[in-house]
C-alpha cells in the first residue's frame, strides 16, 4: 500500500521522537539525531519514505524559523560595540576560510558556483552549538569566548549574502553576473524596507497586541509576521530564509524579544526537526559505507584546516597565540548555516545529489565532535602552543601566572609605590601580575617578585594579555597625570565594570580621575606607598589588625633603609 503524506509525516515525527530520546543519553546533538533518523527512514535507508520532495516546503519553513530565531540573537548594537572583533577578525576569518575551501573544492573538480557555495557553507561555524557550550561552561565571559562570539556575529551577517547568492547560482549561467547584481540590489532594498518596518511599524503593532493580553493573538501575530516576511522575500525571488533572518534581527532588540522567542520555539523545534530529517533523507548511505574512511579524513581535514586558518587569522591581528588557538578550536566545525545552504543549493539544483550528500556528511561529523572541542579548547590550546614553542618569555610567564587565576590584581608600574604594594600582596598570598615597561627593572626585580613581567600597562592589548576581564582590581601607580588619564579612559571604554585604583601627584587631581572612572585615587604625599597599600588590602578584604601590623613593620623597614 502506498504511504500517503499524513502517514509519512507521522513516521517522521515518531522516528524523530524516538531518536531524540535514545541519543539524548549519549549527549548527541538533537540536530545530528534528526539527520540520522532521516538517513535511516529515507530512500537511501530502509525506504519508509521514498519521496522526500513532498516535504520540501515544510523543510523550507523549518529553515525560515531557524534563521528567524538566529536573527533574534543577532544584535546591531552588539555588532557595533564589538566592531573590531566582528568586522576585523570576522571579516578576515570568513574571507580566508572561503578562499582556502573554494580553491580546494575547485581542485576537487567542482565548478565555480558549487565551489563558492560549499566553501561559504564550511567557512561558517555553528552559532547554536558554540554559544550553548560557551554559556554552559562559563566561557562566554572569557577573552577567547568574546572573540569567538564576535566572529560568529559577522558570520551571521555574511550568511545573508549567501542566502541571496544561492538562488541566483541556480539560474541561467550566462546571465549570472547580471542576476547576481540585481539580486544584491533587491536584497539591499528589501533589507532597508524590513528594517524600516521593524523600527517604525512593528513596535506600535506589538504594543497594541500587548494591551489585548491574549497569548493566542500574540502567537498568531508572530507566526503571521514570520511567514509574511518569508513570502515577501520569496516574491522578490530571494530565499525565504532571508526574510526570516532579517525579521528576527528587527525584533532582536525589542522588549518583546523573549516572549516572541518563547512563543515561536515549539513551531521552530518541530519544523526544524522536519528540516533536518529531510536533510538526512538526502544523505546517501551508500557513500558513507563506501567512502567512510575518506569522509572521516575530510572531516578531520576540515577541522584542522579551519582551526589553523582561524587561529592564524586571530594571531596575525596581534592576539596571543594561545588565545588564537582556542578561538580556532571553538570555530573549527561547520554549522546550521552550512546545512541550510547546502540543502538550499540542492533544492535550487546548484549542487548535484552526491556532492551535496558528501558535504553534508562532513558537516554533520564535524558538528558531532564540536561540543568536545569547545569544552577542551583551553587545555588543547596550551599543549599546541607549547609544542610550537612560539610563546615569548613574557607570554609564557603570563600563561603560568594568569590563565589559572581568578580575581587577581593587575599592578601597573614597579617604582617605589609598586614595589611596596607587590610586597604586601605577596605576604597576603593575593594573586597578582605586575607590569613594568623597563626591561632593566624587570630583570633586576625578578629575584624579589615572582609575578613581574615586561609590558606597558597603558596599552589595552597588554592588559588583555594578562586577562583584565578576570581581574579583581587594577592599580595604576603613575606620577604623570596625562598617562593616568589615558589609561583610565582606555580601560573604562571597554571594561566598565573592573575596579581601578589610581595614584596621582596632587590632591586636586583626585576628583578628576574619579570622574574619569577610577574607583579610588590617592595623591602623592608622605608615606603614600604605605597608605596606598593599606587601602588596597582593605579593598581586598584583609583583616584590619593584620593590615596595621604589616604597615607598621613596613614603616620601620623603610625608616631604617632611609637612615642608611
Amino acid at each position: 500500500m502506498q504511504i500517503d503524506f499524513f502517514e509519512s509525516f507521522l513516521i517522521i515525527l515518531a522516528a524523530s521522537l524516538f531518536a531524540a530520546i535514545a541519543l539524548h543519553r549519549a549527549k548527541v546533538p538533537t540536530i545530528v539525531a534528526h539527520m540520522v533518523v532521516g538517513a535511516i527512514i529515507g530512500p537511501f535507508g530502509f525506504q519508509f519514505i521514498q519521496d522526500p520532495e513532498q516535504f520540501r516546503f515544510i523543510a523550507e519553513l523549518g529553515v525560515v524559523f531557524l534563521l528567524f530565531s538566529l536573527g533574534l540573537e543577532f544584535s546591531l548594537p552588539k555588532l557595533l560595540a564589538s566592531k573590531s572583533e566582528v568586522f576585523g577578525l570576522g571579516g578576515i576569518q570568513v574571507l580566508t576560510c572561503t578562499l582556502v575551501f573554494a580553491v580546494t573544492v575547485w581542485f576537487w573538480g567542482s565548478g565555480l558556483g558549487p565551489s563558492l557555495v560549499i566553501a561559504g557553507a564550511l567557512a561558517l561555524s555553528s552559532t547554536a552549538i558554540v554559544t550553548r557550550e560557551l554559556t554552559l561552561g562559563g566561557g562566554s565571559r572569557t577573552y577567547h569566548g568574546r572573540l569567538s562570539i564576535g566572529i560568529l556575529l559577522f558570520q551571521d551577517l555574511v550568511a545573508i549574502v549567501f542566502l541571496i547568492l544561492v538562488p541566483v547560482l541556480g539560474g541561467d549561467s550566462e546571465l549570472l553576473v547580471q542576476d547576481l547584481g540585481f539580486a544584491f540590489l533587491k536584497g539591499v532594498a528589501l533589507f532597508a524596507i524590513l528594517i524600516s518596518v521593524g523600527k517604525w511599524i512593528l513596535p506600535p503593532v506589538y504594543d497594541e497586541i500587548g494591551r489585548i493580553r491574549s497569548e493566542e493573538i500574540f502567537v498568531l501575530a508572530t507566526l503571521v509576521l514570520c511567514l509574511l516576511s518569508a513570502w515577501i522575500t520569496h516574491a522578490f525571488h530571494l530565499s525565504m530564509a532571508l526574510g526570516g533572518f532579517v525579521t528576527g534581527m528587527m525584533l532582536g532588540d525589542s522588549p518583546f524579544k523573549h516572549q516572541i522567542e518563547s512563543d515561536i520555539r515549539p513551531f521552530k523545534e518541530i519544523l526544524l526537526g522536519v528540516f533536518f530529517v529531510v536533510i538526512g533523507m538526502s544523505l546517501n548511505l551508500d557513500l558513507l559505507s563506501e567512502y567512510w574512511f575518506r569522509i572521516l579524513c575530510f572531516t578531520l581535514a576540515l577541522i584542522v584546516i579551519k582551526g589553523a586558518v582561524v587561529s592564524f587569522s586571530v594571531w596575525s591581528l596581534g592576539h596571543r597565540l594561545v588565545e588564537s588557538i582556542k578561538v580556532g578550536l571553538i570555530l573549527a566545525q561547520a554549522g546550521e548555516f552550512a546545512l541550510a545552504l547546502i540543502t538550499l543549493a540542492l533544492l535550487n539544483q546548484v549542487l548535484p545529489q552526491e556532492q551535496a550528500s558528501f558535504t553534508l556528511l562532513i558537516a554533520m561529523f564535524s558538528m558531532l565532535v564540536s561540543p568536545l572541542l569547545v569544552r577542551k579548547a583551553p587545555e588543547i590550546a596550551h599543549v599546541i602552543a607549547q609544542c610550537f614553542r612560539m610563546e615569548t618569555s613574557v607570554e609564557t610567564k603570563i600563561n603560568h601566572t594568569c590563565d589559572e587565576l581568578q580575581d587577581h590584581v593587575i599592578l601597573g608600574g614597579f617604582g617605589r609605590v609598586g614595589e611596596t604594594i607587590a610586597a604586601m600582596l605577596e605576604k597576603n598570598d593575593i594573586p597578582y601580575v605586575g607590569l613594568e615597561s623597563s626591561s632593566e627593572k624587570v630583570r633586576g626585580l625578578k629575584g624579589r617578585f615572582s609575578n613581574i613581567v615586561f609590558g606597558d600597562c597603558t596599552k589595552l592589548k597588554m592588559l588583555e594579555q594578562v586577562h583584565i576581564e578576570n581581574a579583581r582590581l587594577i592599580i595604576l601607580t603613575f606620577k604623570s597625570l596625562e598617562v593616568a588619564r589615558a589609561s583610565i579612559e582606555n580601560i573604562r571604554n571597554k571594561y566598565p565594570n573592573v575596579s581601578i585604583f589610581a595614584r596621582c601627584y596632587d590632591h586636586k587631581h583626585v576628583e578628576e580621575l574619579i570622574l574619569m572612572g577610577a574607583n579610588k585615587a590617592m595623591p602623592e604625599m608622605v608615606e603614600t606607598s604605605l597608605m596606598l597599600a593599606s587601602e588596597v588590602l582593605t579593598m581586598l578584604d584583609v583583616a584590619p589588625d593584620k593590615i596595621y601590623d604589616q604597615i607598621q613593620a613596613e614603616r620601620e623597614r623603610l625608616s631604617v633603609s632611609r637612615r642608611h
Side-chain angles (χ1 to χ4, degrees), residues 541-557:
D541 300 324
V542 178
D545 55 342
K546 194 174 182 182
I547 295 173
Y548 177 80
D549 292 340
Q550 292 177 358
I551 291 294
Q552 286 298 104
E554 192 67 19
R555 182 179 287 114
E556 291 176 7
R557 187 188 70 79

Side-chain angles (χ1 to χ4, degrees), residues 261-458:
E261 197 171 16
S262 174
D263 290 340
I264 211 74
R265 180 170 295 168
F267 302 96
K268 181 195 78 172
E269 297 297 341
I270 293 173
L271 292 172
L272 201 53
V274 175
F275 165 68
F276 287 119
V277 170
V278 172
I279 289 178
M281 291 181 193
S282 304
L283 297 177
N284 190 336
L285 294 183
D286 293 336
L287 280 177
L288 182 59
S289 60
E290 186 176 353
Y291 300 109
W292 65 270
F293 183 73
R294 186 181 298 181
I295 290 170
L296 289 179
C297 288
F298 273 62
T299 302
L300 180 62
L302 167 65
I303 293 172
V304 171
I305 293 172
K306 188 173 180 181
V309 170
V310 173
S311 299
F312 181 78
S313 300
V314 177
W315 180 70
S316 66
L317 290 181
H319 299 275
R320 290 173 52 220
L321 176 65
V322 69
E323 298 294 341
S324 303
I325 297 174
K326 289 178 191 175
V327 176
L329 291 168
I330 289 171
L331 301 179
Q333 78 294 122
E336 307 82 25
F337 277 122
L339 303 179
L341 288 172
I342 295 299
T343 305
L344 286 174
L346 181 62
L347 295 174
N348 285 276
Q349 300 180 335
V350 177
L351 291 177
Q353 176 73 51
E354 188 170 309
Q355 195 173 35
S357 293
F358 197 87
T359 308
L360 286 171
L361 284 168
I362 293 171
M364 185 177 75
F365 279 110
S366 74
M367 292 173 69
L368 192 60
V369 300
S370 178
L372 180 64
L373 282 177
V374 176
R375 290 178 209 142
K376 298 296 182 181
E379 293 92 332
I380 299 172
H382 281 295
V383 172
I384 295 174
Q386 290 296 325
C387 290
F388 279 104
R389 300 182 182 276
M390 289 180 66
E391 301 277 47
T392 66
S393 58
V394 172
E395 287 173 328
T396 304
K397 180 67 178 176
I398 291 170
N399 286 344
H400 285 89
T401 61
C402 204
D403 279 353
E404 295 81 12
L405 300 179
Q406 291 292 329
D407 295 334
H408 59 290
V409 175
I410 296 176
L411 179 57
F414 256 77
R416 175 175 53 86
V417 175
E419 288 184 40
T420 303
I421 295 174
M424 303 298 278
L425 291 173
E426 291 199 358
K427 284 181 182 177
N428 289 279
D429 295 323
I430 294 173
Y432 77 95
V433 174
L435 299 177
E436 171 56 52
S437 57
S438 169
S439 57
E440 292 182 3
K441 185 170 285 188
V442 171
R443 284 194 296 270
L445 294 174
K446 278 291 186 182
R448 289 182 54 199
F449 300 102
S450 59
N451 292 343
I452 180 174
V453 296
F454 175 77
D456 186 354
C457 68
T458 64

Side-chain angles (χ1 to χ4, degrees), residues 12 17 58 71 193 240 252 271 361 369 420 423 448 497 543:
I12 288 175
L17 175 63
I58 297 178
I193 291 170
M240 290 199 302
L271 292 172
L361 284 168
V369 300
T420 303
R448 289 182 54 199
N497 297 322

Side-chain angles (χ1 to χ4, degrees), residues 23-331:
L23 296 178
H24 176 73
R25 292 184 178 275
K27 296 185 178 179
V28 175
T30 308
I31 292 173
V32 177
H34 287 310
M35 293 175 69
V36 170
V37 164
I40 292 172
I41 67 176
F44 299 104
F46 289 104
Q47 300 183 352
F48 290 115
I49 298 173
Q50 302 203 15
D51 183 21
E53 280 294 309
Q54 61 184 319
F55 297 99
R56 171 177 172 173
F57 180 71
I58 297 178
E60 284 198 70
L61 287 182
V63 181
V64 171
F65 280 95
L66 167 66
L67 294 184
F68 179 79
S69 62
L70 290 175
L72 286 172
E73 298 302 322
F74 185 92
S75 170
L76 280 176
K78 190 187 294 184
L79 180 78
L80 296 174
S82 308
K83 53 183 177 291
S84 60
E85 291 89 350
V86 174
F87 294 103
L89 289 177
I92 290 177
Q93 181 270 319
V94 171
L95 180 62
T96 308
C97 284
T98 302
L99 286 174
V100 169
F101 292 139
V103 171
T104 304
V105 176
W106 186 70
F107 275 113
W108 186 21
S110 294
L112 179 61
S115 298
L116 277 176
V117 172
I118 293 175
L122 296 180
L124 306 180
S125 306
S126 175
T127 302
I129 294 176
V130 170
T131 53
R132 180 178 180 274
E133 292 298 327
L134 285 177
T135 302
L136 289 176
S140 58
R141 297 185 298 274
T142 62
Y143 185 62
H144 63 271
R146 286 201 307 275
L147 291 178
S148 301
I149 291 171
I151 294 173
L152 286 171
L153 280 172
F154 186 83
Q155 290 182 1
D156 291 346
L157 194 62
V158 169
I160 298 175
V161 177
F162 286 109
L163 289 172
I164 295 172
L165 179 66
V166 169
V168 176
L169 291 174
D172 189 346
S173 59
E174 294 182 2
L175 302 174
L176 179 61
V177 176
Q178 179 182 332
D179 289 345
L180 189 57
F182 190 47
F184 275 105
L185 287 176
K186 288 191 295 183
V188 171
L190 184 64
F191 186 82
I193 291 170
L194 291 177
I195 289 294
S196 300
V197 169
K199 185 174 182 179
W200 288 297
I201 297 178
L202 286 185
V205 170
Y206 267 99
D207 283 339
E208 185 61 33
I209 293 171
R211 291 192 190 98
I212 299 175
R213 296 181 180 275
S214 171
E215 185 176 344
E216 294 83 0
I217 293 177
F218 195 94
V219 173
L220 183 60
T222 302
L223 285 174
V224 169
L225 176 64
C226 186
L227 296 176
L228 180 62
S229 61
W231 176 80
I232 291 172
T233 51
H234 181 70
F236 273 69
H237 301 288
L238 298 171
S239 168
M240 290 199 302
L242 176 61
F245 183 82
V246 175
T247 304
M249 189 176 68
M250 289 187 307
L251 297 169
D253 291 312
S254 74
F256 305 102
K257 169 189 170 180
H258 299 291
Q259 184 63 48
I260 291 171
E261 197 171 16
S262 174
D263 290 340
I264 211 74
R265 180 170 295 168
F267 302 96
K268 181 195 78 172
E269 297 297 341
I270 293 173
L271 292 172
L272 201 53
V274 175
F275 165 68
F276 287 119
V277 170
V278 172
I279 289 178
M281 291 181 193
S282 304
L283 297 177
N284 190 336
L285 294 183
D286 293 336
L287 280 177
L288 182 59
S289 60
E290 186 176 353
Y291 300 109
W292 65 270
F293 183 73
R294 186 181 298 181
I295 290 170
L296 289 179
C297 288
F298 273 62
T299 302
L300 180 62
L302 167 65
I303 293 172
V304 171
I305 293 172
K306 188 173 180 181
V309 170
V310 173
S311 299
F312 181 78
S313 300
V314 177
W315 180 70
S316 66
L317 290 181
H319 299 275
R320 290 173 52 220
L321 176 65
V322 69
E323 298 294 341
S324 303
I325 297 174
K326 289 178 191 175
V327 176
L329 291 168
I330 289 171
L331 301 179

Side-chain angles (χ1 to χ4, degrees), residues 431-503:
Y432 77 95
V433 174
L435 299 177
E436 171 56 52
S437 57
S438 169
S439 57
E440 292 182 3
K441 185 170 285 188
V442 171
R443 284 194 296 270
L445 294 174
K446 278 291 186 182
R448 289 182 54 199
F449 300 102
S450 59
N451 292 343
I452 180 174
V453 296
F454 175 77
D456 186 354
C457 68
T458 64
K459 307 294 184 185
L460 193 58
K461 282 192 177 296
M462 188 63 206
L463 291 172
E464 288 172 341
Q465 285 185 343
V466 293
H467 295 277
I468 182 176
E469 71 277 3
N470 295 330
R472 183 177 178 184
L473 180 65
I474 298 174
I475 306 170
L476 304 176
T477 64
F478 312 117
K479 279 188 176 182
S480 169
L481 179 64
E482 289 72 22
V483 176
R485 283 173 180 160
S487 300
I488 294 171
E489 185 176 7
N490 282 341
I491 295 169
R492 276 289 172 256
N493 283 340
K494 194 166 184 181
Y495 300 97
N497 297 322
V498 68
S499 297
I500 301 175
F501 197 112
R503 168 210 187 190

Side-chain angles (χ1 to χ4, degrees), residues 531-563:
M531 293 177 62
L532 187 57
S534 176
E535 289 289 336
V536 167
L537 295 176
T538 300
M539 292 178 69
L540 296 171
D541 300 324
V542 178
D545 55 342
K546 194 174 182 182
I547 295 173
Y548 177 80
D549 292 340
Q550 292 177 358
I551 291 294
Q552 286 298 104
E554 192 67 19
R555 182 179 287 114
E556 291 176 7
R557 187 188 70 79
L558 290 173
S559 176
V560 170
S561 65
R562 280 197 299 269
R563 285 198 298 269

